[in-house]
Amino acid sequence: MSKKPTAGPALHKVIMVGSGGVGKSALTLQFMYDEFVEDYEPTKADSYRKKVVLDGEEVQIDILDTAGQEDYAAIRDNYFRSGEGFLCVFSITDDESFQATQEFREQILRVKNDESIPFLLVGNKCDLNDKRKVPLSECQLRAQQWAVPYVETSAKTRENVDKVFFDLMREIRSRKTEDSKATSGRAKDRCKKRRLKCTLL
Amino acid sequence: MLSIGAMANIKHTLQKELFLASGERLLSVVTVVKKKDKKPCYLCVVTTAPPVPVVTLCLIKQSEQREGEYKRKRSWQLDEIKWVDGRNEQFETHEFDLQLEKLYKWYALNPHERQNFLAVLNRQIQKSVRGQRAEFRNVPAAWLSEKSPEKVALGRAVQKTQHMDDEEDEEEEAQEFTALTDKEANELGKLFSECDFAIKDAEQFIEQLSRELHDLDGANMQSVLASEQKVLKMMEHIDNAISEADKFENRLDSYEDILGHVKETMEKIGGKNAMIEIANNNNIKLMKELNKVISQLDLPHSQQQALDEPDLKTANGRKAAIAAAQCLQQAMNSDIDPALLRLEAVQDQRKRFEKWKQKFSATVSRFMNNLFIHLGNEIGDMQVTSTELTLPNHSNVHRELTPYTELMHWTKAMDRKTYDGLMRVYTASLSKIYDRDVRNFFNLAKIQVTEKLRNSREDLDMSTSSRKSAVSTIPYGTLGINRDQWGPGVETADRMRFDALLEKVLAELEPIALQEQLFCINFFQMDVISPTTKNTQTTLEMEKAVDMTQSIISGAVSPSGDGVPQKRIDRQINEDVRKLMMGLFGCLEPELVSFIQSFERVDSFYSLYVFVRLTQHVMSAQDTHSFLSMTFASALVQVKRSFDRFMQNQLLSIREAKLHKRSKAILPYVENFENFAQTAEGIFRKSDRRTDMEKWYLQLVNAIFEGIQLHSQEHPKTPVQVVRMENYHHMYALLAQLKVPGLDALKKEAKKCYNDALKAYVTQYFGRPLEKLNQFFEGVQLKVAQGVKETEISYQMAFSKQELRKVIAQYPAREVKKGLENLYKKVEKHLSEEENLLQVVWHAMQEEFIAQYNYLEERIQKCYAGAMINLEFNIQDILAFFSDIARSH
């Protein structure tokens, strides 16, 4: 008891991205508080924190729920920078939202400058399968091209909601252990250098 | 064809011309033609005048020479008609045949006339012809009915009615003269044939008739005179009969008198018999009653012996003694009529009973007394060696005493004083044992609490050895104080162990207390209220005393009367049992309370789970008035008080919280509330006392909100809005996680306050990277508001294009970028790592900056159109700045 709060558990930072109305906030609220809110209210940006037990280890997850509609994509750069893992969400009932994932993916890769950043492609609203507009094969194909997992969820029925967050946290965790293995200090420097180079280009 | 009017007319004419003179009356006429010549003639039914109407049928022809002259061509009597043939039953038929001396075939010009004629003819034939009557063929049956044919025809020719009316009257008149009946005609014929001369000389005939009448009168008178003699004789006979009857009557009266005497005697005898019967019955009853009394009051010698020298140690002796004692009780309580009680023998017997009773009672008392003390000492000598947390079970005592139960019941019924004394002895000797047990038990329990505490304390000291103050007086978990200033506390796991320990203690107490209670109720027969009312009935002197005690008891229990309500009795029993238990377990309540208080020293949260746990036990108790339930309940009241006190202190600590120089952005009570609420929820989640907790939640959260508003202004280094924003954000997340329905409104309030503070921070602390530009355009806006046209702003001295260019020149892209970077750094410094709101705030600021840029550009385009003035950076530059800031962090 009463350990100093500064020596807290590991912290994983997750960013929710995707077009407006695909259910980013719904997924977040379902994961956070086990509740489903029917009314749609566009998000600007919201931050959540929760303690969870990941494979027996207590960790903290920070979730940044972002706005789907943005006048200027560059505004997103800052929070993409802060993220350690991304849930890229689209609605399987909306092809446009699926096409938009391409753009999000590119921006994230550009900002993070890292091809293997922890990333999950999430097809939400799978409870509305009868209104599906994006064929499963197409989703899987895209995930394959990006070499990321594809999961279908329903914020309404809570199907796979925990799964996507936990899967992503596992990826983030394994990434972190990899990084620290690779001679921690220098790896970071190298990263920074590479990043600087790119900006110059 | 002749009209109906003409028909009526011809009838009238014929009546006037032909029949009036002879006094005849025309009943019906039909205008017919014979087949051979076309000249019409009239067939009439005519009747002569009364009193002897003769109806004839006659044929009238019109004179050929003179118009209006009619001649009677032929006449027939009605009995001359053999048959009438209508040829067809249709109304529209015109032909009809009459068979007279020969066959006449007629053709009627008018079917109405024909119908009328045939009907009248038929009626007249029916009325006046004797013997063979003419047969009507092919004529509708309705016409031939007795009903007047005119009436049948009425429906068809309404207009005819007028003319018919008077004729009808006449006809009715004629009908009064009816023909002689057949019989009368025969009689008359016979009379006439006897005096065949009569026809010739009517006068002679009349004379003869009157003569015969005279003769008959004379004979009648003679026979009347002859019968008088016989009547006189008969009267004489009747007188004789009456005198005979009188004689009989007298004789009957005398018989009746005799019978009356007999009856009286019989009644007297019957009465005597009944008296004898009653006496006999009474004797039998008396005998029975005496037998009963004797059998009731008789105590066999063997039983007397058993009572005199009871052997209570052996089972057999005990059995005999109990049997004898019960017999004695029965005998003493026997239901004997009060009158019989006055019998000397009964009194003697009762005195003997009383002696036995006292002697036996004394023996029992001595014996039981010794037994109780012995048992008490026996157990008292045994050492308690167990370190296990259990209350010793004393069922062996109960087992040993059970055989004596009936003796106790007997004592209770027969000798209240001894019974009360025995009860006191029992209580005294067993309460010693229970006192010792309970004390040991609770001591052990307390040791276990402190042992566990010591274990965890050691861990605690190990892990927190770096802490500067070793012992703090501030209770652990105090909301308003920073965590590191709290005194020692316990982990959730420890708390659960305490809870389990408490549960074990309570669970141990229950069966022991219940067992003892059950035994006592049974052994001391406490579930039967005061069966002593009868035990003194056997002595006359004490009868009054009985009445008195009865009235006292009923007065004490129920002042309203004898019918003591069941509820009252139950309450009385409960009261008695509780008193007894109180004597046995006197130290239980103080020990329990002190045990509970022992928690207080180690865990300030103790009141929460003790409250829940005790409530559970009190609520689940079936008998809410039992000793243990009452004990638990009173302990619960104390715990509830300390629960409320604890909450009250928490509330106070929030209100009195003070900020230190090194305070973090998240206020201590906001930070501590999470742990507090989780602990409380863990304890109260499934409890019935949730509502008690929720009431406090409301108060606490409200106090926290008030505290945030207040303390945000006192914070040493963080701006007010940031403190509010972060604390409300924290509270919102906490309340959303808690999901306490009663706090929903406060959750929404937290969200709103968070959003308000965010907005206020973004606009207020934005620091305005384009400060001077903004000021310039605020001035412009003021002018516009004063009425200057937007296009003419540039002609104002202070707002000329030159001036604008000067201001714009102060904001080259490089400077703007630097300003934004500084802003980002400032925001980063303001915000705490914990709440993770940097991205949220920066997002809002980026939007705000773009909005400002857009506003300025729009103003320039509006007010300085065509001047080719632009800011020294464009939207792409801004986005690039943002991206650069992003990359550099």
Side-chain angles (χ1 to χ4, degrees), chain A residues 1-2 5 33-35 44-47 49-50 62 64 70 72 74-75 77-79 81-82 195 199, chain B residues 460 491 729 733 736 739 754 824 833-836 839-840 842-843 846-847 850 879 883 886-887 889:
Chain A
M1 62 123 260
S2 82
Y33 309 131
D34 295 318
E35 59 186 32
K44 285 204 160 151
D46 266 323
S47 168
R49 178 169 289 191
K50 189 181 188 177
D62 262 2
L64 189 67
E70 208 81 75
Y72 305 104
I75 286 185
D77 282 8
N78 213 304
Y79 50 65
R81 276 294 306 158
S82 73
R195 209 161 55 221
T199 41
Chain B
L460 205 87
E491 290 276 18
H729 182 256
K739 284 184 194 284
Y754 154 67
Y824 187 80
E833 167 72 18
E834 277 176 302
E835 279 315 297
N836 196 32
Q839 295 305 326
V840 176
W842 186 242
H843 182 266
Q846 286 180 2
E847 284 193 333
I850 290 173
L879 294 176
S883 291
R887 251 178 241 114
H889 289 278

Side-chain angles (χ1 to χ4, degrees), chain B residues 391 434-444 587 590-591:
Chain B
L391 258 182
Y434 279 122
D435 245 34
R436 187 200 61 188
D437 287 350
V438 169
R439 272 184 225 287
N440 279 343
F441 177 68
F442 277 112
N443 279 338
L444 208 60
C587 69
E591 283 291 329

Side-chain angles (χ1 to χ4, degrees), chain B residues 82 92 137 186 201 212 248 253 286 294 300 327 342 349 386 435 458 564 656 824 865 878:
Chain B
K82 301 287 186 315
E92 288 298 339
R137 301 169 188 163
N186 281 345
D201 190 350
E212 276 175 14
F248 266 107
D253 282 348
L286 185 62
I294 289 168
C327 277
R342 289 177 207 282
Q349 182 72 356
S386 160
D435 245 34
E458 275 160 20
V564 183
E656 291 168 2
Y824 187 80
I878 296 173

